[in-house]
Amino acid sequence: MVELCIFWLYADPIRQRSVSTRRFFWLRLSRLYPLHLATLLLVAGLQWLYIRYHGGYFVYPLNDAYHFILNLFFAPAWGLEKGFSFNAPIWSVSVEILLYAMFFCVARWLPTRAVYALLLAMAGLYLQSYSVLIGRGVFAFYMGALVYVAYQKLVTGGLVYRGAKPLLLICLAAWLATLLEFQLGSLQVVLSKFCTTSCAGTGLEQLKALWVTGLLLPITILSLAVSETAGKGGWERTAWLGDISYASYLLHFPLQLIFFTLFADLLPERAIFYSSVLWGGYFVMLISSSLLTHRYFERPAQQWIRRYSIQRPRI
C-alpha cells in the first residue's frame, strides 16, 4: 500500500517539477527518521544491558560501532553490512530509502506507464542475483507502480463501481488458492517430478515468493483501493492502522528485548512464550505503544522537522 500512496502523492508532482528534490526527501525523512533514531538508541542501550546480565546479545549479534554508523545513516541493508544488527527490521526501510532515490529519478524523467513499471520490476528480479534485499525491494516497489497504473485506469475509465465486486472475488479466490497450496503442497509434488528434491524445494520457494509479491499482494491492494474509492469498504474506519504501521513495525523488536531483558531469568521455562495469553498480551502492548508513539512522538517530530526544514525561508 505504501508504493500505491507514494505514486499517487508524488509521481505527477515530481514530473511536473512542483515538488523539488529537497522537499521530497525532507518529507520522507521527516516521516521515517525520528522514530528510527529513537528505536536505534533504545535498542543499543537495551542490548548493552542484556549482554551485561545474560552474557550475549539478544537475537542480532552485530551491535558494534561500524553497524551503528550504518544504521545511523539508514544504510544497514545497502550491501555494506555483515548481517542484521540493532533494530534489524529497519533493513526494509533502509532499502526503501534507495527506492525513493530511484523513484524520484524515474518519476522526474519518465511518465508513469505500465511498460516502464513492468521493466523495472523485472530488473528487480534480475538484481536479486546480486542483492536479494535490494532486488526484492525494487521488484515489490514497481509491482506497486503497476497497481497504481491499473487503479488510475479504472478511475479514469469510470470502471471503479463496476470493478469493485469482480476484483474482490478475484482477490478472495487468489487468497483461497494460496491457503490451499500452502496447506496441501500440491505444487511441490508437480515440481518433484521434474527435478531433485532440493531443486524442487528451491523452485517452490521462489515460485511462492513470486506469487505472493508479484500477484497476491498487488491484487489485494488494488481490490482494497478500488473498494475504498467505490465507497463499499468502509475502510476509513481502519485508517488508524495505517497511521501506526510504522511504529508497530519498529517497536515490535524493542518490546521483545525489553521483556527478555527484564523477565527472562524469572520465567520457569521458555515454553511459556508459546502461550496464547502471552502472545495476545504482547499485541495489546504493541498496538497501545504504537498508538501513543504515533500521537505523542512521531507526529510532533514530523511536524517540527517539516516546519524548520521545509517551510522555513531559505536564506
Side-chain angles (χ1 to χ4, degrees):
M1 189 63 80
V2 172
E3 293 85 355
L4 182 60
C5 292
I6 290 295
F7 277 88
W8 178 64
L9 287 172
Y10 294 113
D12 289 337
I14 288 174
R15 190 174 68 255
Q16 295 163 4
R17 306 307 201 265
S18 59
V19 172
S20 65
T21 307
R22 176 176 177 270
R23 180 176 178 81
F24 173 72
F25 281 99
W26 272 116
L27 285 171
R28 299 315 303 154
L29 288 174
S30 66
R31 172 73 175 97
L32 300 173
Y33 197 76
L35 188 58
H36 163 57
L37 179 61
T39 53
L40 171 62
L41 295 174
L42 176 61
V43 168
L46 289 169
Q47 288 284 25
W48 179 79
L49 286 174
Y50 192 87
I51 197 172
R52 282 193 64 188
Y53 293 104
H54 301 283
Y57 288 118
F58 180 69
V59 183
Y60 305 115
L62 299 175
N63 301 295
D64 51 30
Y66 173 73
H67 286 88
F68 182 84
I69 293 172
L70 289 182
N71 277 272
L72 198 62
F73 289 96
F74 256 142
W78 292 3
L80 305 171
E81 73 285 352
K82 298 176 183 178
F84 292 118
S85 60
F86 291 97
N87 194 14
I90 199 64
W91 74 262
S92 64
V93 185
S94 175
V95 171
E96 197 173 315
I97 297 298
L98 295 178
L99 294 174
Y100 288 153
M102 180 182 181
F103 162 73
F104 187 90
C105 294
V106 171
R108 176 59 62 91
W109 301 109
L110 291 175
T112 307
R113 293 180 180 170
V115 62
Y116 298 134
L118 182 60
L119 288 173
L120 289 166
M122 294 303 102
L125 283 179
Y126 177 76
L127 188 59
Q128 289 187 43
S129 303
Y130 301 93
S131 174
V132 174
L133 299 182
I134 295 175
R136 188 184 300 167
V138 172
F139 174 71
F141 192 86
Y142 282 96
M143 288 306 298
L146 282 173
V147 171
Y148 170 75
V149 172
Y151 173 78
Q152 287 290 87
K153 293 289 185 183
L154 289 170
V155 171
T156 57
L159 301 174
V160 168
Y161 295 98
R162 284 187 292 172
K165 287 184 178 179
L167 267 175
L168 181 60
L169 290 174
I170 293 171
C171 177
L172 292 174
W175 274 101
L176 179 60
T178 302
L179 294 174
L180 287 174
E181 168 54 35
F182 276 69
Q183 184 70 29
L184 301 177
S186 57
L187 190 57
Q188 176 76 52
V189 177
V190 174
L191 285 176
S192 64
K193 295 180 179 178
F194 297 96
C195 55
T196 63
T197 303
S198 60
C199 171
T202 303
L204 178 63
E205 292 307 313
Q206 291 174 342
L207 284 174
K208 282 183 177 180
L210 189 60
W211 168 266
V212 172
T213 58
L215 186 63
L216 181 63
L217 294 181
I219 288 175
T220 302
I221 293 169
L222 181 60
S223 176
L224 292 174
V226 169
S227 295
E228 182 180 14
T229 304
K232 297 181 178 180
W235 301 114
E236 64 278 356
R237 293 191 296 272
T238 63
W240 63 275
L241 291 172
D243 292 338
I244 69 168
S245 59
Y246 186 54
S248 62
Y249 183 61
L250 288 196
L251 289 175
H252 78 272
F253 177 69
L255 281 178
Q256 295 172 28
L257 180 51
I258 290 171
F259 185 83
F260 272 86
T261 301
L262 296 176
F263 303 115
D265 291 338
L266 302 178
L267 297 174
E269 56 182 13
R270 292 298 175 94
I272 194 173
F273 293 110
Y274 297 97
S275 163
S276 58
V277 174
L278 188 63
W279 192 242
Y282 167 75
F283 274 100
V284 170
M285 186 180 299
L286 176 61
I287 292 172
S288 301
S289 59
S290 298
L291 284 166
L292 292 172
T293 299
H294 175 71
R295 180 171 181 177
Y296 295 107
F297 179 76
E298 277 191 274
R299 285 199 305 185
Q302 176 180 295
Q303 291 166 0
W304 185 88
I305 292 172
R306 292 181 178 182
R307 183 164 59 248
Y308 286 98
S309 64
I310 299 176
Q311 298 173 7
R312 184 181 61 184
R314 301 183 69 179
I315 300 174

